[in-house]
Amino acid sequence: MLRKFLPVLLCGVLLAPAAPANDAAPALQRPKVALVLSGGGARGFAHIGVLRVLRELRVPVDIVVGTSMGSVVGGAYAAGASVSELERIARETDWGAVIADRPARDMLAFRRREEDILLPSRIEFGVSREGLTLPPAAAGNATLEKVLGDALPPGTRDKPVNQLPLPFRSVASDLVTGELVDLADTPLFLTLRASLAVPGVFQPVRVRDRLVVDGGLVRNLPVDMAHAMGADVVIAVNVGTPLAPEKDLRSAIGVANQMLQILTEQNVQRSIKELLPQDILIAPDLSGVSFLDFQNYARAIDLGEQAARAMAPRLAALALDAQAYAVHEHRRLAAPALDDAPLPLAKLEVQASGNLEPDALAAQSGLERGAPVTRAQVREAVHSLYGRGDLQRVEADVNDDGGKRTVTIRAAESPWATNRARVGLELASDFRDTNNFALKLMHVRSALNPSGGELRTVARIGTQRAFGMQFFQPLGAGANWYVAPDIQYNSFGSDVFNDGHRQARLSYDTASVSAVLGRQIGNFGDLQFGIARQRIGIRKTIPDDALAVHGFDITHFLRYRVDTLDSLAFPSRGMLINAELQQSTADTTHDAQARSAFSWLGAFHRAEWAGHAAFEWARARQGTAPQVLGGFLRLSGTATDSVQGRSVALTRLVMARKMMTLPSALGGLMRVGFSVEAGGGFDHDQPIRGASFKQAGSAFVSVDTRFGPAFLALGATKDGARTAYVFLGPIW
């Protein structure tokens, strides 16, 4: 064995560079070992399993080279992260959120959450003079960059890669020229982010004026780079996705993906041919783990470990004794993180591009000059700024001097998100008399002025016709107080019921103009005071009656809203609160009418189960309450909107179990569940007792689609009707 490695040992002695001045260790008297980790998306978790075996066998690593996911694992390892820490990151990260098209919903600004309620679809486009443009990537930056930052040891985020404990190198692809970009002296975080910019999944990154993406397109297994850095022995780990068989090439997406895999596989095969006789190739069998199968991290880690153990005889020849390996690891591992002590924020500087207003970003970050702030709070502030919805990148530099802290935030405007359109489709049927459809369009033009003015327009055609336009204007850059004048038009039909029986059908045409003074409460709610003038036209269509009633009224209202739900398709945490008081006065009679409504929904989850409890209450001094019941989850089985009264109350419990996860391009989770409901409508002279409530329930299948939640359900009211439901788009 000694004879076999003697030439390599001599080569290592002759070619090994002198130790740095700050490192007392002698020059290496053994082969210099390079670890080369390929890209492969979620399959790259196998690299952690390989590192686990290298640690157990005491195989030293002197150089690390990586691409894409291999760059992430390898860069963190070279910076001093332990194998256990990498395993913890893989285990605790919400990988579904990482590849989502935006931050988690409960991190969005309240107005962005409000858009989900107005139109729950996630089909969005940028609007420009050239026409409509798609977002630059299927996944957003926010959660990805947070995970990358958490994976790196403290103090290494902005350190150049050539100054890490282990020499590290990563590659990217120039999106304009197609050339390989050697990320030799860039900051570690930027290096990892650039190499992981998978085309079509994550946005490209600009490095030294070059627009770069995932390096796997040009060098997915950069063996040549490891040799050029002086490696005597290369341990190459290939986790790239193999070419798909013909039976899987029956769609445009499948064919396009195969084209990318052909490019990647060709350069991988060239790299494998560059391996020398003493080099070691580890190729885990990752069948069943796809490129975006991040939830299957545990299986990928185990398969990587199995593949490395199969090469244990060859790897063991490189092992050190326990003492030498401990010294080697001591030099590599990052020092334990110091306590993140808060320091007074002496200076907060915001550098913004495009139409972004630095003062508004500073206010929305939540960081206050003079207040004590930790580094973790700075990271959370950066993450929360993504919730605005119009930022492409946000970074922060933290510098401490003399017991005080200086924070510099750098924000780049998203070129498409300040002028965008969202398209939605709604379908609903109870397979009886209620069948509705709607095509909806929402346009949002933000950053209209330095204070953050925004114009939002919503249009709807179908069973109900509607058009609305609201101008939202903060009273100063980053101010919580705002004014929001708007105009609204609605045209729809509504049935009149008596004791649950349909008596007539009315056609309504309403037009209103309103002014609102509001105050945002954090990023989760607001309080509004407003006045509206409304014109109402009512005509009986069944039986047909040419006589129409017209009238005007003026309404004063007070409204309080809270929205912390993580999802509208099927929430698993957070709550939704709506409370409103109205006082209306008719122009003709001057009669005052008071109305009030309150609704609360609280979500919960446990293991594979998620659900919510909800309560609604509405009351009117005259006429009917502003809420009606009937339909799915609102006394399922009962005719839609057939339960009316001066007072209306509803309570329900909904639970569902996760069945599967759809591909991110199609939607989210599929669940199967049930509901238990009770409620009713009451006149003033009726006592509201438990026995007076109708009891209902349903069983359903729900799917979170890109157009919004979809349900197929069976519902029944006790001693009443039973019916089936299907709908796409509406929320609770």
Side-chain angles (χ1 to χ4, degrees):
M1 183 65 70
L2 178 61
R3 185 184 309 166
K4 177 179 179 181
F5 280 99
L6 184 58
V8 177
L9 289 171
L10 292 175
C11 180
V13 171
L14 293 174
L15 297 180
N22 61 351
D23 193 343
L28 290 173
Q29 302 298 315
R30 55 174 177 77
K32 184 182 292 186
V33 178
L35 181 64
V36 179
L37 305 178
S38 80
R43 297 162 64 91
F45 287 124
H47 295 318
I48 300 177
V50 173
L51 289 173
R52 182 190 291 169
V53 174
L54 295 181
R55 179 189 60 188
E56 293 178 4
L57 296 177
R58 300 195 302 274
V59 176
V61 174
D62 306 301
I63 298 170
V64 182
V65 182
T67 298
S68 192
M69 192 65 171
S71 177
V72 173
V73 175
Y77 184 80
S82 67
V83 177
S84 298
E85 184 66 13
L86 293 174
E87 292 175 349
R88 184 191 66 79
I89 294 292
R91 181 176 62 253
E92 296 181 0
T93 297
D94 182 357
W95 294 105
V98 171
I99 58 175
D101 60 341
R102 63 179 187 178
R105 188 174 182 274
D106 47 7
M107 291 298 295
L108 295 177
F110 181 71
R111 280 189 65 80
R112 303 290 81 84
R113 304 183 204 187
E114 188 181 17
E115 290 173 10
D116 288 350
I117 293 177
L118 293 172
L119 207 169
S121 169
R122 294 296 302 131
I123 309 298
E124 287 192 318
F125 306 90
V127 180
S128 66
R129 294 181 179 179
E130 289 75 27
L132 299 179
T133 59
L134 291 171
N141 291 339
T143 309
L144 168 67
E145 296 185 358
K146 185 175 186 299
V147 171
L148 287 181
D150 292 344
L152 301 179
T156 63
R157 177 188 174 102
D158 298 317
K159 182 176 291 187
V161 295
N162 53 11
Q163 298 180 18
L164 298 178
L166 294 182
F168 171 67
R169 196 67 59 83
S170 180
V171 297
S173 307
D174 190 310
L175 190 58
V176 178
T177 66
E179 298 174 343
L180 180 147
V181 180
D182 184 352
L183 302 172
D185 57 358
T186 53
L188 177 59
F189 178 84
L190 182 61
T191 299
L192 304 191
R193 179 65 183 84
S195 187
L196 195 59
V198 181
V201 180
F202 298 115
Q203 293 185 14
V205 177
R206 192 164 295 279
V207 178
R208 294 191 293 269
D209 296 326
R210 302 182 74 172
L211 194 64
V212 302
V213 294
D214 189 332
L217 297 177
V218 291
R219 197 80 87 253
N220 201 45
L221 189 68
V223 171
D224 58 337
M225 187 172 290
H227 285 147
M229 294 175 69
D232 300 317
V233 177
V234 170
I235 302 173
V237 185
N238 180 28
V239 297
T241 305
L243 297 178
E246 183 178 348
K247 64 182 181 65
D248 294 335
L249 304 178
R250 299 177 180 177
S251 67
I253 294 177
V255 172
N257 184 66
Q258 184 82 334
M259 293 172 63
L260 291 175
Q261 294 304 328
I262 289 173
L263 293 175
T264 303
E265 185 62 19
Q266 286 178 344
N267 74 63
V268 166
Q269 292 304 317
R270 288 195 298 269
S271 295
I272 290 176
K273 292 178 181 178
E274 296 170 346
L275 291 171
L276 302 177
Q278 68 268 24
D279 295 337
I280 300 171
L281 175 64
I282 300 175
D285 180 4
L286 293 166
S287 302
V289 182
S290 66
F291 185 85
L292 293 177
D293 193 8
F294 286 91
Q295 306 294 342
N296 211 1
Y297 65 87
R299 173 174 167 79
I301 292 175
D302 290 343
L303 292 174
E305 180 180 352
Q306 293 174 22
R309 292 195 187 283
M311 303 299 293
R314 294 193 62 187
L315 292 171
L318 302 171
L320 299 177
D321 60 54
Q323 181 178 357
Y325 185 75
V327 172
H328 180 84
E329 279 289 271
H330 178 73
R331 291 200 300 265
R332 181 189 71 83
L333 289 172
L338 299 175
D339 290 338
D340 189 10
L343 293 178
L345 182 59
K347 182 180 179 181
L348 175 61
E349 180 183 358
V350 177
Q351 301 171 0
S353 68
N355 295 316
L356 299 174
E357 176 59 38
D359 290 343
L361 291 171
Q364 292 166 358
S365 72
L367 302 176
E368 298 182 6
R369 293 178 179 87
V373 61
T374 64
R375 290 177 177 265
Q377 287 173 325
V378 173
R379 291 193 297 269
E380 287 302 316
V382 167
H383 191 55
S384 67
L385 285 175
Y386 272 115
R388 290 168 46 107
D390 59 354
L391 300 182
Q392 180 174 339
R393 292 186 61 80
V394 189
E395 298 174 343
D397 294 331
V398 181
N399 295 300
D400 298 336
D401 185 17
K404 294 185 178 181
R405 181 156 286 166
T406 298
V407 175
T408 302
I409 295 176
R410 299 188 302 275
E413 183 181 45
S414 175
W416 76 279
T418 56
N419 192 8
R420 54 193 168 82
R422 182 183 296 190
V423 179
L425 179 67
E426 294 184 4
L427 301 171
S429 175
D430 63 0
F431 298 97
R432 292 186 177 181
D433 298 322
T434 303
N435 300 280
N436 299 312
F437 78 95
L439 177 64
K440 299 181 71 173
L441 173 67
M442 178 168 60
H443 175 259
V444 178
R445 179 67 173 92
S446 57
L448 292 174
N449 52 50
S451 297
E454 181 176 288
L455 183 66
R456 183 169 65 199
T457 305
V458 180
R460 172 187 180 123
I461 59 173
T463 308
Q464 178 180 347
R465 286 76 58 201
F467 177 85
M469 183 179 292
Q470 182 193 70
F471 178 66
F472 173 84
Q473 179 60 61
L475 300 180
N480 289 322
W481 288 95
Y482 65 89
V483 293
D486 76 358
I487 58 173
Q488 299 286 336
Y489 169 78
N490 283 276
S491 177
F492 60 95
S494 178
D495 292 334
V496 178
F497 289 85
N498 183 13
D499 196 22
H501 299 289
R502 187 177 285 103
Q503 302 294 309
R505 185 167 182 80
L506 302 179
S507 175
Y508 290 84
D509 283 284
T510 68
S512 67
V513 57
S514 66
V516 169
L517 172 66
R519 190 183 193 282
Q520 299 183 94
I521 306 173
N523 72 336
F524 61 84
D526 70 357
L527 180 66
Q528 294 183 337
F529 310 86
I531 181 172
R533 179 174 172 83
Q534 180 176 232
R535 177 187 181 278
I536 304 175
I538 306 174
R539 184 172 65 87
K540 184 183 291 185
T541 57
I542 301 176
D544 191 10
D545 188 342
L547 183 62
V549 178
H550 298 280
F552 292 86
D553 65 31
I554 296 177
T555 301
H556 299 79
F557 58 86
L558 173 64
R559 185 181 298 144
Y560 174 67
R561 301 180 297 175
V562 171
D563 182 356
T564 62
L565 295 180
D566 62 334
S567 168
L568 290 181
F570 206 98
S572 61
R573 65 177 183 270
M575 66 174 62
L576 185 68
I577 297 175
N578 282 285
E580 184 169 359
L581 298 175
Q582 296 181 0
Q583 182 77 27
S584 299
T585 304
D587 280 0
T588 54
T589 63
H590 300 288
D591 291 334
Q593 179 177 344
R595 293 174 133 194
S596 58
F598 173 82
S599 63
W600 170 86
L601 184 153
F604 57 87
H605 70 278
R606 184 178 180 86
E608 299 296 312
W609 287 86
H612 73 258
F615 173 76
E616 292 185 23
W617 168 263
R619 183 180 178 87
R621 182 183 298 173
Q622 299 176 4
T624 59
Q627 298 283 4
V628 293
L629 302 179
F632 179 53
L633 298 182
R634 303 184 61 78
L635 297 183
S636 299
T638 302
T640 302
D641 298 342
S642 63
V643 179
Q644 304 169 354
R646 291 189 177 181
S647 297
V648 168
L650 172 71
T651 183
R652 70 166 175 263
L653 174 68
V654 179
M655 295 188 67
R657 191 180 192 280
K658 172 184 172 182
M659 299 298 294
M660 66 176 66
T661 302
L662 297 180
S664 59
L666 300 178
L669 295 176
M670 174 181 290
R671 299 180 185 269
V672 58
F674 65 91
S675 70
V676 178
E677 310 149 39
F682 311 92
D683 290 329
H684 288 322
D685 56 353
Q686 286 182 282
I688 301 177
R689 300 191 182 120
S692 305
F693 279 61
K694 294 177 179 290
Q695 300 176 38
S698 70
F700 59 82
V701 175
S702 75
V703 182
D704 184 7
T705 75
R706 299 289 291 179
F707 279 101
F711 283 83
L712 178 63
L714 296 173
T717 299
K718 184 178 180 181
D719 300 326
R722 294 171 174 80
T723 189
Y725 298 96
V726 61
F727 65 83
L728 168 68
I731 60 171
W732 312 111

